[in-house]
mmCIF file of all heavy atoms in Angstrom:
data_model
loop_
_atom_site.group_PDB
_atom_site.id
_atom_site.type_symbol
_atom_site.label_atom_id
_atom_site.label_comp_id
_atom_site.label_asym_id
_atom_site.label_seq_id
_atom_site.Cartn_x
_atom_site.Cartn_y
_atom_site.Cartn_z
ATOM 1 N N ALA A 1537 17.542 7.635 -10.493
ATOM 2 C CA ALA A 1537 17.589 8.383 -9.236
ATOM 3 C C ALA A 1537 17.521 9.877 -9.512
ATOM 4 O O ALA A 1537 17.896 10.345 -10.583
ATOM 5 C CB ALA A 1537 18.866 8.034 -8.473
ATOM 6 N N GLY A 1538 17.042 10.604 -8.525
ATOM 7 C CA GLY A 1538 17.009 12.058 -8.627
ATOM 8 C C GLY A 1538 15.602 12.608 -8.651
ATOM 9 O O GLY A 1538 14.620 11.879 -8.549
ATOM 10 N N GLU A 1539 15.540 13.925 -8.782
ATOM 11 C CA GLU A 1539 14.261 14.627 -8.791
ATOM 12 C C GLU A 1539 13.943 15.122 -10.190
ATOM 13 O O GLU A 1539 14.827 15.294 -11.006
ATOM 14 C CB GLU A 1539 14.325 15.813 -7.831
ATOM 15 C CG GLU A 1539 14.578 15.408 -6.391
ATOM 16 C CD GLU A 1539 14.652 16.601 -5.454
ATOM 17 O OE1 GLU A 1539 13.670 17.358 -5.391
ATOM 18 O OE2 GLU A 1539 15.709 16.769 -4.811
ATOM 19 N N GLY A 1540 12.664 15.342 -10.443
ATOM 20 C CA GLY A 1540 12.239 15.868 -11.730
ATOM 21 C C GLY A 1540 11.522 14.831 -12.558
ATOM 22 O O GLY A 1540 11.319 13.684 -12.148
ATOM 23 N N ASP A 1541 11.127 15.236 -13.753
ATOM 24 C CA ASP A 1541 10.374 14.361 -14.653
ATOM 25 C C ASP A 1541 11.127 13.066 -14.932
ATOM 26 O O ASP A 1541 12.321 13.089 -15.232
ATOM 27 C CB ASP A 1541 10.091 15.070 -15.974
ATOM 28 C CG ASP A 1541 9.085 16.201 -15.824
ATOM 29 O OD1 ASP A 1541 8.398 16.248 -14.788
ATOM 30 O OD2 ASP A 1541 9.011 17.039 -16.742
ATOM 31 N N GLY A 1542 10.434 11.959 -14.840
ATOM 32 C CA GLY A 1542 11.013 10.663 -15.156
ATOM 33 C C GLY A 1542 11.977 10.122 -14.127
ATOM 34 O O GLY A 1542 12.640 9.112 -14.357
ATOM 35 N N LYS A 1543 12.060 10.760 -12.964
ATOM 36 C CA LYS A 1543 12.982 10.337 -11.899
ATOM 37 C C LYS A 1543 12.199 9.764 -10.721
ATOM 38 O O LYS A 1543 11.036 10.089 -10.503
ATOM 39 C CB LYS A 1543 13.821 11.523 -11.412
ATOM 40 C CG LYS A 1543 14.607 12.231 -12.503
ATOM 41 C CD LYS A 1543 15.765 11.392 -12.953
ATOM 42 C CE LYS A 1543 16.596 12.167 -13.978
ATOM 43 N NZ LYS A 1543 17.712 11.423 -14.455
ATOM 44 N N CYS A 1544 12.863 8.925 -9.942
ATOM 45 C CA CYS A 1544 12.217 8.255 -8.807
ATOM 46 C C CYS A 1544 11.816 9.233 -7.698
ATOM 47 O O CYS A 1544 10.797 9.040 -7.060
ATOM 48 C CB CYS A 1544 13.135 7.175 -8.236
ATOM 49 S SG CYS A 1544 13.503 5.856 -9.418
ATOM 50 N N GLY A 1545 12.607 10.264 -7.466
ATOM 51 C CA GLY A 1545 12.258 11.251 -6.454
ATOM 52 C C GLY A 1545 13.378 11.485 -5.451
ATOM 53 O O GLY A 1545 14.342 10.727 -5.361
ATOM 54 N N ALA A 1546 13.213 12.547 -4.697
ATOM 55 C CA ALA A 1546 14.208 12.964 -3.703
ATOM 56 C C ALA A 1546 14.479 11.866 -2.689
ATOM 57 O O ALA A 1546 13.553 11.246 -2.162
ATOM 58 C CB ALA A 1546 13.732 14.225 -2.982
ATOM 59 N N GLY A 1547 15.747 11.602 -2.445
ATOM 60 C CA GLY A 1547 16.155 10.646 -1.422
ATOM 61 C C GLY A 1547 16.088 9.184 -1.829
ATOM 62 O O GLY A 1547 16.322 8.303 -1.005
ATOM 63 N N ILE A 1548 15.779 8.914 -3.092
ATOM 64 C CA ILE A 1548 15.682 7.519 -3.559
ATOM 65 C C ILE A 1548 16.882 7.230 -4.459
ATOM 66 O O ILE A 1548 17.023 7.828 -5.524
ATOM 67 C CB ILE A 1548 14.368 7.265 -4.316
ATOM 68 C CG1 ILE A 1548 13.175 7.596 -3.422
ATOM 69 C CG2 ILE A 1548 14.307 5.811 -4.782
ATOM 70 C CD1 ILE A 1548 11.837 7.559 -4.126
ATOM 71 N N ALA A 1549 17.740 6.341 -4.020
ATOM 72 C CA ALA A 1549 18.956 6.005 -4.764
ATOM 73 C C ALA A 1549 18.669 4.999 -5.870
ATOM 74 O O ALA A 1549 17.715 4.212 -5.791
ATOM 75 C CB ALA A 1549 19.999 5.425 -3.810
ATOM 76 N N GLU A 1550 19.501 5.012 -6.892
ATOM 77 C CA GLU A 1550 19.395 4.011 -7.950
ATOM 78 C C GLU A 1550 19.553 2.623 -7.331
ATOM 79 O O GLU A 1550 20.386 2.414 -6.457
ATOM 80 C CB GLU A 1550 20.474 4.235 -9.013
ATOM 81 C CG GLU A 1550 20.298 3.349 -10.218
ATOM 82 C CD GLU A 1550 21.191 3.750 -11.389
ATOM 83 O OE1 GLU A 1550 21.477 4.946 -11.543
ATOM 84 O OE2 GLU A 1550 21.591 2.844 -12.127
ATOM 85 N N GLY A 1551 18.717 1.696 -7.760
ATOM 86 C CA GLY A 1551 18.757 0.334 -7.231
ATOM 87 C C GLY A 1551 17.852 0.108 -6.033
ATOM 88 O O GLY A 1551 17.706 -1.029 -5.575
ATOM 89 N N THR A 1552 17.234 1.176 -5.515
ATOM 90 C CA THR A 1552 16.322 1.027 -4.377
ATOM 91 C C THR A 1552 15.166 0.120 -4.768
ATOM 92 O O THR A 1552 14.522 0.343 -5.793
ATOM 93 C CB THR A 1552 15.784 2.401 -3.926
ATOM 94 O OG1 THR A 1552 16.878 3.211 -3.487
ATOM 95 C CG2 THR A 1552 14.768 2.257 -2.803
ATOM 96 N N PRO A 1553 14.888 -0.915 -3.964
ATOM 97 C CA PRO A 1553 13.781 -1.826 -4.287
ATOM 98 C C PRO A 1553 12.469 -1.356 -3.663
ATOM 99 O O PRO A 1553 12.457 -0.665 -2.645
ATOM 100 C CB PRO A 1553 14.223 -3.140 -3.640
ATOM 101 C CG PRO A 1553 14.990 -2.697 -2.432
ATOM 102 C CD PRO A 1553 15.691 -1.416 -2.846
ATOM 103 N N LEU A 1554 11.375 -1.735 -4.282
ATOM 104 C CA LEU A 1554 10.058 -1.502 -3.686
ATOM 105 C C LEU A 1554 9.703 -2.742 -2.871
ATOM 106 O O LEU A 1554 9.022 -3.659 -3.326
ATOM 107 C CB LEU A 1554 9.006 -1.222 -4.766
ATOM 108 C CG LEU A 1554 9.132 0.122 -5.466
ATOM 109 C CD1 LEU A 1554 8.022 0.316 -6.499
ATOM 110 C CD2 LEU A 1554 9.128 1.267 -4.459
ATOM 111 N N THR A 1555 10.255 -2.786 -1.657
ATOM 112 C CA THR A 1555 10.074 -3.889 -0.723
ATOM 113 C C THR A 1555 9.702 -3.300 0.625
ATOM 114 O O THR A 1555 10.436 -2.448 1.135
ATOM 115 C CB THR A 1555 11.379 -4.698 -0.576
ATOM 116 O OG1 THR A 1555 11.874 -5.013 -1.867
ATOM 117 C CG2 THR A 1555 11.172 -5.971 0.211
ATOM 118 N N PHE A 1556 8.577 -3.728 1.183
ATOM 119 C CA PHE A 1556 8.082 -3.126 2.420
ATOM 120 C C PHE A 1556 7.632 -4.173 3.418
ATOM 121 O O PHE A 1556 7.139 -5.231 3.043
ATOM 122 C CB PHE A 1556 6.902 -2.195 2.119
ATOM 123 C CG PHE A 1556 7.202 -1.155 1.083
ATOM 124 C CD1 PHE A 1556 6.648 -1.247 -0.176
ATOM 125 C CD2 PHE A 1556 8.057 -0.105 1.360
ATOM 126 C CE1 PHE A 1556 6.925 -0.294 -1.148
ATOM 127 C CE2 PHE A 1556 8.349 0.849 0.388
ATOM 128 C CZ PHE A 1556 7.778 0.757 -0.863
ATOM 129 N N ASN A 1557 7.775 -3.826 4.705
ATOM 130 C CA ASN A 1557 7.274 -4.644 5.796
ATOM 131 C C ASN A 1557 5.934 -4.079 6.233
ATOM 132 O O ASN A 1557 5.800 -2.868 6.424
ATOM 133 C CB ASN A 1557 8.239 -4.615 6.990
ATOM 134 C CG ASN A 1557 9.561 -5.241 6.642
ATOM 135 O OD1 ASN A 1557 9.601 -6.331 6.091
ATOM 136 N ND2 ASN A 1557 10.645 -4.551 6.948
ATOM 137 N N VAL A 1558 4.949 -4.954 6.387
ATOM 138 C CA VAL A 1558 3.615 -4.547 6.820
ATOM 139 C C VAL A 1558 3.311 -5.247 8.139
ATOM 140 O O VAL A 1558 3.427 -6.466 8.246
ATOM 141 C CB VAL A 1558 2.542 -4.931 5.777
ATOM 142 C CG1 VAL A 1558 1.157 -4.526 6.262
ATOM 143 C CG2 VAL A 1558 2.856 -4.309 4.429
ATOM 144 N N ILE A 1559 2.925 -4.467 9.133
ATOM 145 C CA ILE A 1559 2.505 -5.030 10.416
ATOM 146 C C ILE A 1559 0.985 -5.119 10.398
ATOM 147 O O ILE A 1559 0.305 -4.153 10.067
ATOM 148 C CB ILE A 1559 2.972 -4.139 11.591
ATOM 149 C CG1 ILE A 1559 4.497 -4.077 11.633
ATOM 150 C CG2 ILE A 1559 2.413 -4.664 12.907
ATOM 151 C CD1 ILE A 1559 5.042 -3.054 12.603
#
Side-chain angles (χ1 to χ4, degrees):
E1539 298 179 58
D1541 290 344
K1543 304 287 184 180
C1544 298
I1548 302 172
E1550 188 169 328
T1552 298
L1554 289 181
T1555 310
F1556 306 108
N1557 295 311
V1558 179
I1559 297 171

